[in-house]
Amino acid sequence: MASPISCLSILIIPLLVTSLFYDVSNADRPLLEKVCKKTMDHDFCMSILLSDQDGHTNVLYILGIASTSISLKIISDVSDEIENVLIGVTDPVDRNRISNCITGTDDIYKKMQLARNVAGTQSYAEEASLLTAAQLKITECNNQFESHPKHVSPISNHTSKLMKLISISSVIISMITSS
């Protein structure tokens, strides 16, 4: 039979561990809520920022660098996902469009790398310009498919994810420069 102390430890230790992590993550939550409320997709923003330890900060400047760094990881994954979509596409016009988007995604990655670098130097105007250029690349990609109203983009969920990522960084830059 289990002793009362071991029964008690089975109940209390998990509660103590949970409360330690709960306090740390809640300290960051007001800033994340403030940022994510202004993005394209609140839930996506919260999940992205909370998924990475660098997103757990209460300093807006550091959150900006973290969001760009997190985006770089995800952009690589999205680019791979788009390449996987290309494998299954047989229509030559769509293959060309998707190939253009892959090239655009490579450009987006480079712009986000530059944005992360200038964020470290607090060159917010330059960072905002790079983020805008990245958004334009996604728009160019999407516009290729929208030019044919009856045609649906086979990669729209991927390009949407890219827009949401850049939205997070753009909101943070806007908040930094307006304060």
Side-chain angles (χ1 to χ4, degrees), residues 3 6 19 42-43 69 92 94 98 111 113 117 129 133 159 170:
S3 72
S6 63
S19 70
H42 175 273
D43 294 338
S69 295
D94 277 351
I98 294 171
K111 289 183 186 335
Q113 279 182 315
N117 292 342
S129 175
T159 56
S170 296

Side-chain angles (χ1 to χ4, degrees), residues 42-121:
H42 175 273
D43 294 338
F44 177 81
C45 175
M46 291 297 290
S47 69
I48 292 299
L49 294 177
L50 288 172
S51 71
D52 192 286
Q53 187 58 38
D54 292 339
H56 293 247
T57 181
N58 60 2
V59 179
L60 191 57
Y61 158 75
I62 294 172
L63 186 60
I65 294 171
S67 73
T68 307
S69 295
I70 295 166
S71 293
L72 286 170
K73 295 173 194 172
I74 296 171
I75 290 168
S76 290
D77 294 342
V78 169
S79 182
D80 292 343
E81 292 167 5
I82 292 172
E83 287 180 17
N84 288 337
V85 170
L86 181 62
I87 293 169
V89 173
T90 56
D91 181 324
V93 175
D94 277 351
R95 287 189 63 76
N96 186 50
R97 291 175 180 153
I98 294 171
S99 294
N100 290 340
C101 290
I102 292 169
T103 301
T105 304
D106 293 342
D107 290 343
I108 291 166
Y109 186 86
K110 290 174 188 171
K111 289 183 186 335
M112 291 300 282
Q113 279 182 315
L114 291 171
R116 183 188 60 197
N117 292 342
V118 298
T121 64

Side-chain angles (χ1 to χ4, degrees), residues 10 21 40 55 127 130-132 137-138 142 155 157 169 171 178:
I10 290 172
F21 290 110
M40 295 173 70
E127 184 179 4
L130 288 162
L131 293 172
T132 300
K137 282 289 179 189
I138 299 167
N142 289 336
I155 59 171
N157 58 330
S169 296
V171 165
S178 68

